[in-house]
Structures are given as structure tokens and as C-alpha cells.
Amino acid sequence: MTSRIPGFFKLDVPDRVVRIREIAGLTDEETQLLAASFGALEQDRADRMVENVVGVMGVPLGIAVNFLVNGRDYLIPMAIEEPSVIAAASNAARIMRDASHGGISAHYVSAMMIGQVQLVKLPDPVAAREAVLAARDAVLAEANAADPILVRLGGGARDLEARLLPETPAGPMLIVHLIVDTKDAMGANAVNTMAETVTPTLERLTGGQVRLRILSNLADRRVVQASVAIAEAHLGTDEFAGADVAERIVEAYAFAAADPYRAATHNKGIMNGMDAVALATGNDWRALEAGAHAYAARDGRYRPLSAWTRDGKGHLVGTLEMPVVLGLVGGATRTHPTAQLAVKVLGVQTAAEFGEVVAAVGLAQNFAALKALSTEGIQRGHMALHARNVAMSAGAEGEQVDRVAAQMVAERAINIARAKEILETLTA
Ligand code: MEV
């Protein structure tokens, strides 16, 4: 199987579905589901997913092509309302597959979730900490007894930490961390259940009172590193030589490394790609966001999540390091039919493989943004796509959309009033 599909963007929607159907082996039912997804999530299903349902908010689902990660091809489902993100990811992935050996590499440095238990009103905070650490094995066994299925699958609570917060506005606190391998689940349910289960034991051991029991989104034990070395010769454009583009991308990174105002936008570009995959697959993209930004600021200063350097041997080298908390089982991934289909198209087998591919998407998305921003600027490509939205808002349909958009771009006048005028000339 290959994710390299030249001209995928030029196909009409039914032809794209045919291609994805062939590559991902979709059934008749799944193919019909894609067609039906232009309607809506069924009322009953939506009503069972969240509360107070009155409708469904549709977001376009696209497929980024060309991704080669750890030597394997992937089609990337992305749900996003912003134009040009999917095209940019596909272009970046094409450059990365052509200009590097094996495409993008990615691996988990560690893959554990952290559950926090807050203990207050401690008679002796230091003794409480020692008592919890001394009972480590018993507390872990109790936590594991709360989730025998996870344990059977090879996961479970692996370690325990006890952190003293001696001076908070509410007095001293002991924070117990359960370090949990949640396997293919995102992990929120498993970790929260374990944290609640050990409450009476922790109160008995410490003489204190348990308050909050919840996972931490600063998932610094579930961190992926992704990297790519791109031959600079492949970076050239009509206006810029490859080595020049490489230098400009390094300068763009240096800006983000030195300035939190830029780092926030740099990281937003990374999350454009990663959130879109999380949403398409029914994952909690807010958890991904929270982890990303907390990790970016983990040493007290907000920093870019990726870095770009030149290796002096003709390569531009990009690396990304951040928490990636995603699951393949549980949550909307299981209940939402389109999310299930997206997971099938993605073709990942484990949560680890999933996280690695999504980190690779983040790195590619970042590369695309920095390349455009540091050379021709983002607006040229962006406005061409934006023009299509404006044309549709003005009432253009079918072929009219591209014709109205193309004329507005040529005139450099992209607004609804002009779109309506052009549309009138077309329909006159
Ligand atoms: C826009 O959605 C994302 C960018 O601003 C990212 C960046 O500036 O690196 C283009």
C-alpha cells in the first residue's frame, strides 16, 4: 500500500472515496457511511454521546496523502474547518518522503499516564509522604485490582510518586502520582478510576483527607519524539534555492525559540495537524492541546515544541518532542461511526503507533508553515483557498466556486461583494 496519490486533490469527491476505498479496503457499508456523513451523525447516536443535543456540527473530513512514517505509508484522516491545512500537510509529507531516507521517524520515549490524588489536612506531611512511599506495592496492587481488564491486556499501574507541596494558599499538601500504562486507551477512565479506588487507603496511611482525583494533562511520561532529515536540494522553489530555504526555516525556528509570542503561533501550526487527526478519530483534542502547551512551558518559559537545524551535510533536520495522548479504544473513537472509519483508514494497530504517526503529522504541518512563511508568505496559498469559501458564501455552486475564486485571486480582491458581482456576470 502507498499513501502517495499524485493528483488526489484534483479528483472529485466520489473518485477520492473510490481511491481510499481501494487502499484502505473499505466495505460497501463504510463507503456508504462516508457518503452519509455529509448529512449528519444520527440523531439517536448524537443524543447518547453528549447532553442537551439539538443538532450536529459538521466539520469537513479530508485525507492528507504522501505520509511515510517509520518506513510505512499512512493515509491521514483530518477533520478541520480551516482551509489549506490538509493540502499543506500533504505537500510537506511529499517533500519529506522524497527527500529523506524512510520519511519521518517517530517513537515514544515513554508511554505512561499520570493520575493525581490530592491529600490535604495532613497531621504530619513529611511522615505522610514516607508512609505512602513505604506502602507503594500495596497501593499499586489495589489500583490494579480496580482494572483487571487493563492488567490482562498487559497494562496497569506501574509506579507511584509522592510530591509534597509544602506551601500552598490552602496549607501543605501531598500529591500522590499513580503512573499507569493504559495500553491502547487514551487512559482517562482507567487512571481516574484507579485514583478514586486508592482513596481510603491513602487517607488511612496519611491521616489526611483526599480531595481531587484526576489524571494530569501534563503527560510528560507519554512523550513522542519525531524527526526528519530533509536533503536541502529538495527544498528549492522557483524563487529560492534549497539551501536558502533551509536557512530561512532555521531562522524561523530561532525566532520561536527566542520569543514566546512567536512560539505560541509556531506551536499552533503544529496543533493544526495533530488536532485535526484527533478530531477525525474521535479523540479528546483538548487533552492533546493541554499537554502540548503545558509541555512547551515546562521549564517556566514557553518554547516551541519543534526545532530545526542544518547538519552541515546538506540536510535540514527537524525534531518534535511533546506529549501525545490518544487512544484507539473507548470514548467517541468507539461510538462514532465516522471516527471508527477514520481509524481504519489510518490503519494503525496500537496507540503507540497512532501517537507516532500523529507526531509526524505535527512535524510535517510545522515544516509546511515555516517553509511558506519564510519564503513567499502564507497568504498567497491561503487566499486562494479562502477565496473558495468566500465564493460559496456569496452563493456560488458547483463549477462556479472555482471560477469565482480564480477571478478574485487574479484581481487580488477577495470579498463577498466582489464574489457576488462576478457570480452575476457568470449567471447573466
Ligand atoms: C495558521 O493556522 C498556522 C500558522 O500561523 C502557523 C505558523 O505561523 O507557524 C501559519
Side-chain angles (χ1 to χ4, degrees), residues 88-141:
S90 301
N91 284 334
R94 185 182 45 73
I95 294 173
M96 288 174 171
R97 74 183 290 133
D98 291 347
S100 67
H101 289 294
I104 308 165
S105 308
H107 68 278
Y108 267 92
V109 185
S110 65
M112 302 283 168
M113 291 300 285
I114 299 169
Q116 295 195 294
V117 182
Q118 176 198 24
L119 284 140
V120 299
K121 306 213 182 306
L122 298 154
D124 182 344
V126 174
R129 178 172 181 274
E130 278 164 17
V132 170
L133 289 175
R136 174 186 177 278
D137 291 350
V139 174
L140 291 179

Side-chain angles (χ1 to χ4, degrees), residues 82 85 262 265-270 272 365-366 369-370 373 378 382:
E82 184 176 332
V85 169
R262 173 56 206 158
T265 324
H266 179 105
N267 290 344
K268 191 272 184 184
I270 294 171
N272 270 347
Q365 203 75 58
N366 178 230
L370 298 189
L373 285 167
I378 208 93
H382 213 85

Side-chain angles (χ1 to χ4, degrees), residues 154-202:
R158 293 273 187 269
D159 204 358
L160 176 152
E161 293 167 349
R163 297 167 50 230
L164 214 49
L165 302 182
E167 287 174 40
T168 84
M173 290 175 193
L174 182 67
I175 310 300
V176 177
H177 282 185
L178 291 176
I179 313 293
V180 185
D181 180 351
T182 60
K183 288 288 159 202
D184 285 329
M186 181 272 190
N189 279 333
V191 168
N192 295 342
T193 304
M194 286 182 177
E196 291 189 4
T197 301
V198 298
T199 293
T201 303
L202 292 181

